[in-house]
Amino acid sequence: MEYGSIEREIHVDAPPEVVFEVVSSPEHISQWWTDDAEFEATPGAVGELVWGDRATVVPMRVVTAEPPRLFSFRWCYPEGTVEDSANSLLITFELTPSGTGTRIRLTETGFREMGWEAAKVAEQYLDHVRGWDTFVPQLGEYLARLVSTP
């Protein structure tokens, strides 16, 4: 297995403007992925993603915020320090209008660049694959509920 990138794609019946808000704002991210989050959707902004009662707190840095089509951030920095280096994982949400909705393409890259031993690369990659297999459908379900609510 190559462990280069994880890619997931779904179509949602919501406009790109709504989808961008859902993938780039803490109040929405905490509804489909994390338990809490704190950051601004501004390139260079540093924040955090939180799971549990702050049992896991992961620093992140926004890389790109181009409403309503592109949002990306880096996370999983070595030793939890936010740096400008490439030895972190990059998550990108590409949003493309499609019919009456939006095609969401999520890509996570950087596993080989982390400097991990081969076994840890494989373990982390497979852990993130399992995670996105859960959270991307949850994103779709959350958006469906959000746009169907009057």
Side-chain angles (χ1 to χ4, degrees):
M1 191 170 256
E2 186 169 314
Y3 309 118
S5 68
I6 298 169
E7 297 177 13
R8 297 291 180 270
E9 197 170 292
I10 61 170
H11 179 273
V12 294
D13 288 323
E17 294 78 9
V18 171
V19 178
F20 183 85
E21 189 68 24
V22 166
V23 300
S24 69
S25 66
E27 60 269 15
H28 289 293
I29 285 178
S30 63
Q31 297 299 310
W32 62 269
W33 183 28
T34 65
D35 293 318
D36 196 10
E38 186 176 314
F39 64 90
E40 291 185 27
T42 305
V46 174
E48 62 184 24
L49 305 171
V50 180
W51 285 268
D53 189 17
R54 296 194 66 81
T56 303
V57 178
V58 180
M60 54 86 75
R61 178 187 302 262
V62 176
V63 175
T64 308
E66 297 175 8
R69 61 172 211 84
L70 189 63
F71 182 71
S72 66
F73 63 90
R74 290 195 167 278
W75 74 318
C76 298
Y77 291 91
E79 299 161 18
T81 59
V82 178
E83 304 171 1
D84 286 330
S85 65
N87 62 340
S88 57
L89 301 180
L90 176 66
I91 295 178
T92 302
F93 292 93
E94 294 176 71
L95 312 176
T96 306
S98 176
T100 59
T102 303
R103 179 179 57 91
I104 303 171
R105 184 169 183 259
L106 172 136
T107 307
E108 186 173 23
T109 60
F111 293 92
R112 291 186 308 237
E113 293 77 18
M114 292 295 289
W116 292 326
E117 294 181 14
K120 180 155 183 173
V121 171
E123 172 196 327
Q124 288 295 309
Y125 181 88
L126 294 173
D127 184 51
H128 286 234
V129 164
R130 285 189 295 274
W132 291 124
D133 285 347
T134 298
F135 295 117
V136 169
Q138 285 182 198
L139 168 60
E141 292 163 10
Y142 176 69
L143 276 158
R145 286 192 311 273
L146 192 65
V147 297
S148 70
T149 305

